[in-house]
Amino acid sequence: MTAARSGLARARRRDRRVYLRSHPFLFALLAATRGRAVRRIGRTVLVHDADAYRQVLTGLPLDRTAAGTTGGAARSALRAAGHHDAGVLFDQEGAGHRAGRRALAQGLGAAGVEELRGVWRPLLAGRLEPLAEGGEVDLVALAGELSGTVVCALLGSDASPAAVAAAAADLAAASVRGELPGPRRPGAHAASARATQRLRQLLGEGDDALAAMVAVAAVNTTVAALPRAVAWCADAGLWDQAADERLRLPLVDELLRVTAPSPLLPRVAAADGVVAGCPVRSGDRLLLVARHAVDAHGSGPDAERPAAPDLAHLVFGAGPHTCPGARLARLQLADVLAALSAHRPVVVSAVVDRGAALPSWRKLVVRSSVEVAR
């Protein structure tokens, strides 16, 4: 086996641990059913194929407030905390959804993201200084601080970034994860209410549910994606590509494709239809497997031969509900890889987070492989 293939196999084995130790039931279910583009199990339809995945998101009416969906989980968490907001972006359609996206457009547009880079780049440089001295850095802690800092800057909050990141992670674990297939956690409803109250108090946004949900999405996807992406680079020997300005953004897209930070999108059909030849009835639960749709389980990341953009970008969704933070996510990971590439770090310790809402590491410690000058 060549060194490149050996590194790719090592990277894939490590990344599989995130699923096998944190979401074993879900991983087994998805792996067992991926032989078909679409597979029905009772009133649940699993969607694995890219075209079918896109078809559901863009052509099938969806009930975005139904139990067991991202929007339903968000609304349930808010109501459990005593807030009866009309919508939180995830569960909205039409004018309400457009208004919510407009509220984020300035901060997440090109100019807004460049301003946010001015916030996270100095933080990143400071937190990575130990690598130059032969020290170690926990990428999970760094991702939490980066995401919390960005959320506070985006929302104009003076809360502690670490506290915001912790509260957003707690809220996601208590609500979104409880909607996935598998055993339900006892007391999840009460835990969700407490976490929602804590996060909204930290942000100081009064009755603005959108702010809380933006924090949840930004923190949890960043903490899920960034450490896993770095581990892939370290294990698969991708630091040359990360250091190359021509290849860095294609590598970012490839890493986000293979990590698929939100590997499963739970949805509910709002009308009858047909997806890839499979009849879908109103009320059917749809499990959209982003991990399989983008071939994360099949092909590894390669910036020299990347997947087509329309496939890779499915990790951000499709249609009017495409993730509004895609630009921010891509540029933040690009800056992290650029800063790390000089050190070519290796992973010295990795611990799976068994309680996170998304497949994540609880700790991922790296050390520079470049000899420190004495």
Side-chain angles (χ1 to χ4, degrees):
M1 182 182 291
T2 66
R5 291 182 63 186
S6 176
L8 181 64
R10 180 169 58 251
R12 191 172 294 284
R13 283 196 302 272
R14 187 192 300 277
D15 202 57
R16 277 172 60 89
R17 285 170 50 198
V18 175
Y19 290 92
L20 293 173
R21 298 189 181 183
S22 65
H23 297 74
F25 175 85
L26 175 62
F27 188 86
L29 173 66
L30 300 185
T33 60
R34 70 185 179 208
R36 295 183 186 175
V38 178
R39 185 184 294 263
R40 174 181 289 281
I41 302 177
R43 291 299 303 274
T44 298
V45 178
L46 291 101
V47 179
H48 299 277
D49 175 76
D51 289 338
Y53 181 96
R54 191 180 291 106
Q55 180 185 354
V56 170
L57 291 177
T58 61
L60 186 71
L62 299 174
D63 182 352
R64 298 190 178 275
T65 65
T69 66
T70 306
R75 183 169 290 210
S76 175
L78 291 164
R79 287 179 173 169
H83 301 283
H84 300 281
D85 305 74
V88 291
L89 194 65
F90 302 117
D91 65 351
Q92 294 172 319
E93 292 282 9
H97 181 251
R98 289 192 294 273
R101 292 184 74 95
R102 281 197 299 271
L104 295 174
Q106 183 173 355
L108 295 177
V113 170
E114 283 304 315
E115 287 188 20
L116 291 173
R117 292 178 97 177
V119 173
W120 79 58
R121 279 175 160 175
L123 174 63
L124 180 61
R127 295 299 182 266
L128 294 182
E129 282 182 356
L131 295 178
E133 303 298 325
E136 299 178 348
V137 172
D138 180 1
L139 268 298
V140 175
L142 173 60
E145 187 175 10
L146 280 175
S147 59
T149 299
V150 167
V151 165
C152 289
L154 181 63
L155 300 177
S157 171
D158 59 1
S160 159
V164 168
D170 288 345
L171 175 52
S175 56
V176 177
R177 192 170 188 268
E179 302 295 336
L180 295 175
R184 299 299 174 90
R185 288 181 171 183
H189 190 71
S192 179
R194 291 193 299 270
T196 302
Q197 289 280 35
R198 179 182 172 214
L199 179 59
R200 297 187 72 175
Q201 288 170 359
L202 281 169
L203 294 175
E205 292 290 335
D207 291 326
D208 186 358
L210 178 61
M213 293 303 105
V214 166
V216 169
V219 167
N220 286 278
T221 53
T222 301
V223 172
L226 194 152
R228 289 176 60 199
V230 172
W232 265 98
C233 279
D235 290 337
L238 300 176
W239 292 121
D240 283 344
Q241 293 187 1
D244 189 328
E245 291 187 6
R246 177 181 62 88
L247 295 177
R248 190 175 302 134
L249 279 178
L251 177 62
V252 164
D253 287 339
E254 282 288 275
L255 290 169
L256 291 173
R257 178 182 65 80
V258 298
T259 58
S262 297
L264 180 72
L265 301 184
R267 299 290 186 263
V268 171
D272 293 349
V274 177
V275 177
C278 178
V280 174
R281 292 172 288 170
S282 178
D284 278 351
R285 191 177 194 194
L286 302 159
L287 299 183
L288 310 183
V289 190
R291 173 179 167 80
H292 294 163
V294 299
D295 196 34
H297 63 297
S299 60
D302 186 351
E304 295 278 11
R305 291 172 291 276
D310 64 337
L311 177 70
H313 293 171
L314 283 179
V315 296
F316 295 111
H321 282 264
T322 299
C323 175
R327 180 193 300 271
L328 188 154
R330 293 176 73 239
L331 292 180
Q332 187 173 68
L333 180 53
D335 285 348
V336 170
L337 296 182
L340 286 172
S341 63
H343 304 286
R344 298 176 179 267
V346 294
V347 178
V348 297
S349 176
V351 180
V352 173
D353 191 338
R354 297 175 184 267
L358 300 174
S360 307
W361 296 106
R362 181 166 60 84
K363 179 179 290 188
L364 188 95
V365 179
V366 299
R367 180 189 300 134
S368 176
S369 67
V370 177
E371 186 175 351
V372 177
R374 299 296 182 184

